[in-house]
Amino acid sequence: MTTMKIAIFSNDKPKSRTFRNKLSRELRDRNIILTSRDPDIVVTVGGDGTLLSAFHRYAHQLDRIRFIGVHTGHLGFYTDWRDYELPELVEALTKDSGQSVSYPLLDVYVEYFDGGHDHYVALNESTIRRVNKTMKSEVYIRNELFESFRGDGLCISTPTGSTAYSKSLGGAVLHPRLEALQMTEVASINNRLFRTLSSPIVIAPDEFITIRPDAQEDYILTVDSFTHRVRPISQVTFRVAKERIHFARYRHMHFWDRVEDAFIGSKQSHVKRS
């Protein structure tokens, strides 16, 4: 029997460090290998930001890694475990049988006017925008011109990312089984001269979005929580990634329960009143 290898990825807050140290001791006592190299499971301790950092740290190994999120502060959307549930988590890890649930990701391919390119994978979303001036770009869907955009920027999100920045822009919340991408506008300009759909759009898994901005040097490209100030961009293409993120499914919360818990909280209020 192969011994499981686990990486513990935490932020530096005292509560997270305390939990990480306790979890490390418990797992070593059960002869589980702790290593940051080629792990089978990555346990993140902190919140959604910590899990996003771990996701990008191990983005090249997504086909063989499962993630578990432990939150030590406010409730996280990707974190199923609380820091006071250490014994239950250790028990689940000890009895692990490989079960998982997976979510689609966003493929981001950037091409530059100098002939270079970059490739990223996002868990939540990617945006392209300008800060001090209006962004002008053409938007294509499957290489067909869809609209000429004028505004602050555009956001393309995954279904799980639809609950993040995209939601604050007025986007819909998508269930991750839809395997779709959503594009939302950031402060678009709509008048007699410029016209966009001025509404979020959802595209099918076999389609892709290409954004071709005017040649400028001050675009900001974001991939999840990471910002890239890049050289002049020729175009950026977004599609559903071939990779997926896998979470260990010990008691993985149902998607709509997660949404309710994160944004509404009526169940918790009902429990308190009872």
Side-chain angles (χ1 to χ4, degrees):
M1 180 177 178
T2 303
T3 303
M4 184 189 302
K5 295 186 292 184
I6 294 179
I8 303 177
F9 192 103
S10 78
N11 61 31
D12 290 327
K13 294 181 179 180
K15 204 171 184 180
S16 298
R17 290 201 305 268
T18 298
F19 182 90
R20 178 190 63 202
N21 293 337
K22 290 180 179 178
L23 178 60
S24 297
R25 288 195 296 269
E26 292 285 343
L27 294 179
R28 286 194 180 98
D29 288 344
R30 288 162 175 76
N31 297 318
I32 292 176
I33 299 173
L34 297 182
T35 177
S36 60
R37 184 176 180 180
D38 298 326
D40 301 301
I41 291 178
V42 175
V43 179
T44 69
V45 184
D48 284 347
T50 307
L51 192 140
L52 279 170
S53 295
F55 166 79
H56 285 278
R57 165 67 175 79
Y58 291 100
H60 62 295
Q61 295 177 282
L62 294 176
D63 60 332
R64 61 175 304 274
I65 288 178
R66 289 174 293 149
F67 291 85
I68 296 173
V70 179
H71 55 89
T72 55
H74 298 294
L75 178 64
F77 192 81
Y78 290 112
T79 48
D80 291 312
W81 297 82
R82 299 296 298 267
D83 55 336
Y84 54 75
E85 296 177 303
L86 177 64
E88 293 87 348
L89 176 58
V90 171
E91 183 71 10
L93 287 166
T94 303
K95 296 181 177 179
D96 175 84
S97 60
Q99 63 270 47
S100 67
V101 57
S102 65
Y103 291 154
L105 300 170
L106 173 64
D107 184 282
V108 184
Y109 188 75
V110 190
E111 298 176 59
Y112 303 104
F113 279 107
D114 62 10
H117 66 271
D118 283 317
H119 182 227
Y120 307 99
V121 178
L123 175 56
N124 277 349
E125 75 279 309
S126 176
T127 69
I128 180 171
R129 53 189 172 178
R130 295 181 77 187
V131 176
N132 298 319
K133 295 182 180 180
T134 299
M135 185 178 91
K136 302 176 183 179
S137 64
E138 305 298 317
V139 178
Y140 293 78
I141 299 178
R142 291 198 72 169
N143 294 324
E144 295 290 335
L145 179 63
F146 178 71
E147 66 181 14
S148 295
F149 176 83
R150 302 292 186 275
D152 285 357
L154 291 163
C155 170
I156 291 81
S157 70
T158 65
T160 48
S162 70
T163 62
Y165 183 45
S166 177
K167 181 177 180 297
S168 71
L169 296 173
V173 175
L174 304 182
H175 194 285
R177 283 206 305 270
L178 290 177
E179 298 252 356
L181 299 181
Q182 181 171 195
M183 183 178 75
T184 49
E185 300 176 355
V186 184
S188 61
I189 297 173
N190 282 281
N191 53 34
R192 292 172 60 187
L193 296 177
F194 305 116
R195 179 65 55 189
T196 69
L197 184 62
S198 192
S199 174
I201 65 169
V202 178
I203 70 163
D206 62 340
E207 297 183 328
F208 53 92
I209 296 172
T210 301
I211 297 173
R212 296 175 182 168
D214 281 2
Q216 301 292 339
E217 296 184 0
D218 58 347
Y219 291 110
I220 295 175
L221 179 75
T222 69
V223 179
D224 289 329
S225 56
F226 301 95
T227 300
H228 307 271
R229 289 186 178 271
V230 293
R231 54 196 188 272
I233 293 174
S234 171
Q235 66 179 34
V236 187
T237 301
F238 305 91
R239 66 180 78 230
V240 177
K242 296 178 181 179
E243 304 91 339
R244 296 176 67 90
I245 185 171
H246 303 275
F247 290 93
R249 191 173 189 170
Y250 303 140
R251 60 166 193 190
H252 198 67
M253 189 183 297
H254 186 273
F255 179 75
W256 293 117
D257 286 339
R258 190 182 301 276
V259 171
E260 190 281 333
D261 197 38
F263 298 109
I264 302 173
S266 59
K267 294 180 181 178
Q268 291 293 331
S269 298
H270 178 75
V271 170
K272 290 180 180 178
R273 287 196 299 270
S274 300

